[in-house]
Amino acid sequence: MSIGAVLEQLRAEFPDVTISKIRFLESEGLVTPGRSPSGYRRFSTKDCERLRYVLTAQRDFYLPLKIIKEQLDAHDRGEQVEGPAPRAPRTLATVQSSEPADFLARRQTRISRADLIERVGCDESFLRELERSALVSPGKVGYFDEDAIALVSAAKALAEYGFEARHLRAFKTSADREAGLIAQIANPIARGGDSGAAERAAELIRELAALSVAFHTQLVKSAVKDAVR
């Protein structure tokens, strides 16, 4: 298949995938298409399945490309793949996600206040408290998105253990600081001016965000372990 044909196959499940994204994954060694005599890329069915695996692991498990590549290399060697990513089956085509859209599509979803409350199972006062603490807010036209659903759901689960909105402000402050650090690294790349700058910056943000989450998780686990001794 040509790179355009691969793009058409993937876009149904990953609407924001682009040719530059596929080329980026190739440059990182995640896929190695063949070449026609005239030099054009020629992708096999296996190549397309590997790309689908990579995109699913990034979107649903927020794994860095280095970890995904290690998993794929292990699968190629016939080894059992361990970890939070979907296990690599005999045919990577079976690695599917139940979620219908990608990260950007989820952000663009319009969810009313009433729908958010119903889906999360919280009450109006709980949502208002989160808003007063600047933990969640609707968009400019008053709608929420899927990220807000996930955030309010997590806040509700923490509330069941006694966490109040004022306690969760510490998490927000930490997240804002981490986002600022990532932006300092990604912004110069995004402003590069060439056609692939935005794509490279988006990939870098995904990588750094995944690493930041992993690092933050380990810090919290270590701190809690020390605190309860």
Side-chain angles (χ1 to χ4, degrees):
M1 293 174 283
S2 67
I3 193 169
V6 172
L7 183 66
E8 288 303 312
Q9 285 202 22
L10 296 175
R11 268 187 171 165
E13 188 177 355
F14 308 96
D16 72 330
V17 69
T18 62
I19 286 179
S20 59
K21 164 84 171 184
I22 296 173
R23 288 173 177 164
F24 174 81
L25 294 177
E26 178 188 356
S27 70
E28 293 295 310
L30 277 300
V31 63
T32 53
R35 296 277 178 169
S36 69
S38 55
Y40 290 102
R41 292 174 177 81
R42 285 293 176 261
F43 293 81
S44 66
T45 300
K46 180 180 178 181
D47 293 326
C48 194
E49 291 167 351
R50 286 176 70 90
L51 287 170
R52 183 175 288 109
Y53 184 91
V54 172
L55 295 171
T56 299
Q58 278 190 312
R59 181 190 66 189
D60 299 345
F61 297 91
Y62 307 101
L63 291 181
L65 290 181
K66 179 181 178 182
I67 300 300
I68 300 172
K69 187 174 188 304
E70 290 174 356
Q71 292 181 337
L72 285 170
D73 290 344
H75 173 262
D76 290 341
R77 294 191 298 269
E79 299 174 5
Q80 184 73 22
V81 176
E82 301 293 342
R87 293 180 181 274
R90 291 185 181 275
T91 168
L92 293 178
T94 62
V95 180
Q96 300 289 343
S97 168
S98 59
E99 297 186 23
D102 63 2
F103 171 72
L104 292 176
R106 289 199 297 271
R107 288 187 61 191
Q108 294 166 359
T109 302
R110 290 159 58 99
I111 299 171
S112 70
R113 190 179 194 86
D115 286 341
L116 183 149
I117 290 173
E118 181 180 356
R119 287 178 59 178
V120 174
C122 66
D123 54 36
E124 175 69 30
S125 62
F126 180 76
L127 180 57
R128 281 201 305 269
E129 186 63 26
L130 294 180
E131 290 176 305
R132 279 195 293 267
S133 298
L135 294 170
V136 66
S137 60
K140 293 180 179 179
V141 293
Y143 287 93
F144 296 89
D145 57 22
E146 290 290 345
D147 288 335
I149 295 285
L151 192 151
V152 177
S153 296
K156 180 175 179 290
L158 287 169
E160 294 173 358
Y161 286 91
F163 284 84
E164 299 177 11
R166 59 189 176 89
H167 299 139
L168 301 181
R169 283 292 305 165
F171 293 85
K172 179 67 163 58
T173 300
S174 175
D176 288 343
R177 288 174 179 168
E178 292 173 24
L181 291 172
I182 292 174
Q184 288 180 26
I185 298 172
N187 278 337
I189 296 175
R191 296 169 183 158
D194 59 278
S195 59
E199 188 71 31
R200 290 197 303 275
E203 283 303 310
L204 180 61
I205 289 170
R206 290 188 181 96
E207 288 286 290
L208 292 176
L211 291 172
S212 175
V213 169
F215 184 62
H216 182 84
T217 300
Q218 292 306 314
L219 286 176
V220 172
K221 287 172 64 177
S222 297
V224 171
K225 189 184 300 181
D226 293 337
V228 298
R229 283 176 181 171

